[in-house]
């Protein structure tokens, strides 16, 4: 049994709660426990960086300090934006003496300390590279044979820091999905931008980004898109009526990679939060549970 | 055929030393090494919607056309996907430069009225600062009220759908130790002011925009 510190981020408590609902039981099934940081705060995401970069690093560093207080070796951040911001803060602490100085002074005022060296990891990385595909295959009770999946990674998980995979053509999730029995369709738009927060602020360019990804997934005859980021899931799943009104219908469900894992582990669909999506997933072909 | 009017930029519009100011910001050091190859504009998924391409913005900043760069829509359309930053042959962190330009545009209050993106960024910060966490639906509501509120009517279906699926929290998320975060940010304000004084003490930046 390994335990990681866990930084859920605001989305996983709000619109992306299905991600947390599926992540926790799936990791528990793989003998991994998560300890949520006590009183964690918002990481700042991209919006904070746009107003004040040093302040953004400081509020993110509070979480790094809280994580270092716990005795676990690594910190898990399932949201792509949180994952990047926490990593970026550590990079700035290393590179820029002025940012490092500001952070240390601010933390001291809050009665905290932070070295900025504890690895921050994404669940996708931990599941495939630490837990390993063999352990996953052993745990699969109902292989998702015949389910065609388009793996969509989003941008900030691999860019700008290629922490565990290629910056344009990552394959970690592809291998994971294959281990679950899925058919992975070739998906060249796997790291193209989904529009980020533009879908809410400037729908015309923002939704067009989402539309292109959905259209490509349909063209590749995927049944479902798998994501690892709450904002990607939200953008690809929630705006279907608006997209249909502008460029034509491109209905395809978007789920979290952890939900597909849960299905393959024969967990309850409702408990995995699958009903929270706007476009429902088609029922899986009834396959016999493996012995 | 519609003739496009050519816009001439005059020497007088340049702000001498602007490029140096940006270059001194952590993350933006490589600005001067841009060779105007246009790779950033080519890989940018949003460049077709921009008024100036990322390459043009970098060129403007390099030559000190501050006003034009800060007034552009380009800086706000950048969705922070970092495609340009990883492809740039001169390793310029274009995304970070865009962040810096956004910050300056907000500081100097030069962005289009009721333009939702800078309003969202500022409201996000206010919420993250006062409550320690961000409640997305409340944030979206505040953003719409302060910007293009009439477009919010088109969102009723989305809101209802989120509510039905239990993804629309009705209370404001918040941390317990707000005073701790407050103390940290107050100290930081003091630190940054001290840093600014230090930098002003060093005198004017070199004339002619650097090297």
């Amino acid at each position: 049994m390994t335990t990681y510190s866990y930084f859920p981020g605001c989305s996983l408590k709000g619109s992306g709660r299905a991600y947390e609902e599926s992540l926790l039981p799936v990791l528990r099934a793989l003998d991994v426990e998560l300890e949520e940081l006590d009183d964690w705060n918002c990481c700042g995401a991209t919006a904070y960086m746009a107003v004040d970069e040093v302040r953004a690093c400081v509020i993110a560093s509070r979480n790094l300090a809280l994580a270092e207080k716990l005795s676990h070796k690594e910190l898990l951040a399932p949201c792509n934006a949180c994952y990047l911001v926490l990593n970026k803060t550590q990079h700035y602490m290393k590179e820029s003496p002025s940012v490092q100085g500001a952070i240390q002074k601010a933390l001291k005022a809050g009665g905290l300390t932070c070295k900025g060296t504890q690895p921050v990891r994404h669940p996708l990385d931990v599941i495939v590279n630490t837990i390993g595909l063999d352990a996953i295959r052993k745990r699969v009770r109902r292989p998702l044979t015949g389910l065609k999946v388009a793996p969509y990674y989003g941008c900030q998980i691999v860019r700008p820091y290629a922490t565990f995979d290629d910056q344009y053509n990552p394959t970690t999730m592809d291998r994971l999905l294959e281990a679950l029995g899925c058919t992975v369709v070739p998906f060249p738009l796997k790291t193209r931008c989904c529009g980020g927060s533009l879908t809410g602020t400037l729908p015309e360019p923002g939704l067009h980004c989402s539309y292109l990804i959905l259209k490509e997934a349909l063209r590749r005859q995927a049944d479902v898109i798998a994501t690892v980021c709450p904002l990607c899931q939200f953008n690809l799943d929630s705006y279907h009526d608006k997209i249909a009104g502008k460029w034509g219908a491109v209905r395809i469900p978007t789920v979290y990679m952890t939900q597909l894992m849960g299905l393959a582990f024969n967990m309850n669909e409702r408990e995995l939060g699958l009903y929270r999506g706007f476009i429902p997933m088609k029922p899986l072909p009834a396959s016999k549970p493996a012995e | 055929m519609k003739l496009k009017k050519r816009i001439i930029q005059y020497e007088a519009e340049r702000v001498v030393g602007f490029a140096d100011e940006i270059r001194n910001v952590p993350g933006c050091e490589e600005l001067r090494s841009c060779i105007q190859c246009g790779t950033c504009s080519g890989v940018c998924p949003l460049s077709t919607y921009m008024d100036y391409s990322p390459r043009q913005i970098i060129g403007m900043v390099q030559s000190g056309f501050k006003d034009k760069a800060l007034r552009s829509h380009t800086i706000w359309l950048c969705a922070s996907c970092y495609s340009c930053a990883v492809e740039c042959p001169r390793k310029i962190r274009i995304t970070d430069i865009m962040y810096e330009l956004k910050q300056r545009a907000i500081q100097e209050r030069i962005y289009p009225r009721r333009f939702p993106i800078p309003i969202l960024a500022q409201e996000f910060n206010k919420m993250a600062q006062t409550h320690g966490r961000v409640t997305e639906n409340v944030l979206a509501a505040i953003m719409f009220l302060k910007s293009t509120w009439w477009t919010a009517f088109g969102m009723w279906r989305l809101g209802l759908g989120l509510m039905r699926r239990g993804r629309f929290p009705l209370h404001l998320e918040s941390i317990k130790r707000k005073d701790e975060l407050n103390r940290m940010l107050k100290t930081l304000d003091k630190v940054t002011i001290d840093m600014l004084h230090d930098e002003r003490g060093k005198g004017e930046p070199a004339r002619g925009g650097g090297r």
Side-chain angles (χ1 to χ4, degrees), chain A residues 11 15 38-42 48-49 51 53 55 62 88 95 106 109 156 159 168 241 276-277, chain B residues 80-82 87 93 96 103 125 129 132-133 136 157 165 167 175-177 180 183-184 187 189:
Chain A
S11 288
S15 66
D38 171 47
D39 209 33
W40 55 269
N41 60 275
C42 168
Y48 217 119
M49 291 265 168
V51 179
E53 219 151 3
R55 265 176 117 79
R62 181 172 176 270
K88 191 169 181 173
E95 280 170 14
Q156 302 196 334
R159 289 196 299 260
Y168 275 98
D241 50 342
R276 295 196 194 271
Chain B
S80 317
C81 80
Y82 293 89
E87 282 297 294
R93 298 193 202 160
D96 291 327
Q103 289 171 26
N125 284 24
Q129 228 158 284
R133 285 186 198 171
E136 299 149 307
R157 203 191 277 222
R165 289 164 179 82
R167 292 164 67 181
I175 59 171
K176 283 176 272 159
R177 299 194 296 271
E180 187 180 294
R183 271 204 309 275
M184 284 174 59
T187 314
D189 285 339

Side-chain angles (χ1 to χ4, degrees), chain A residues 14-93:
Chain A
S15 66
R17 59 178 46 167
Y19 195 6
E20 185 174 60
E21 284 166 352
S22 53
L23 178 73
L24 299 180
V26 160
L27 285 184
R28 207 169 300 132
L30 293 166
D31 255 356
V32 171
E33 276 298 328
L34 299 181
E35 186 178 346
E36 191 170 319
L37 296 185
D38 171 47
D39 209 33
W40 55 269
N41 60 275
C42 168
C43 72
T46 50
Y48 217 119
M49 291 265 168
V51 179
D52 191 326
E53 219 151 3
V54 182
R55 265 176 117 79
C57 287
V58 165
I59 65 162
S61 74
R62 181 172 176 270
N63 297 311
L64 294 172
L66 294 176
E68 287 181 14
K69 254 200 215 170
L70 298 177
S71 52
H72 313 304
K73 267 197 213 129
E74 295 175 318
L75 173 64
L76 203 69
C79 165
N80 285 8
C82 304
Y83 172 71
L84 167 64
V85 169
L86 296 177
N87 266 310
K88 191 169 181 173
T89 303
Q90 289 188 336
H91 272 260
Y92 269 74
M93 285 174 81

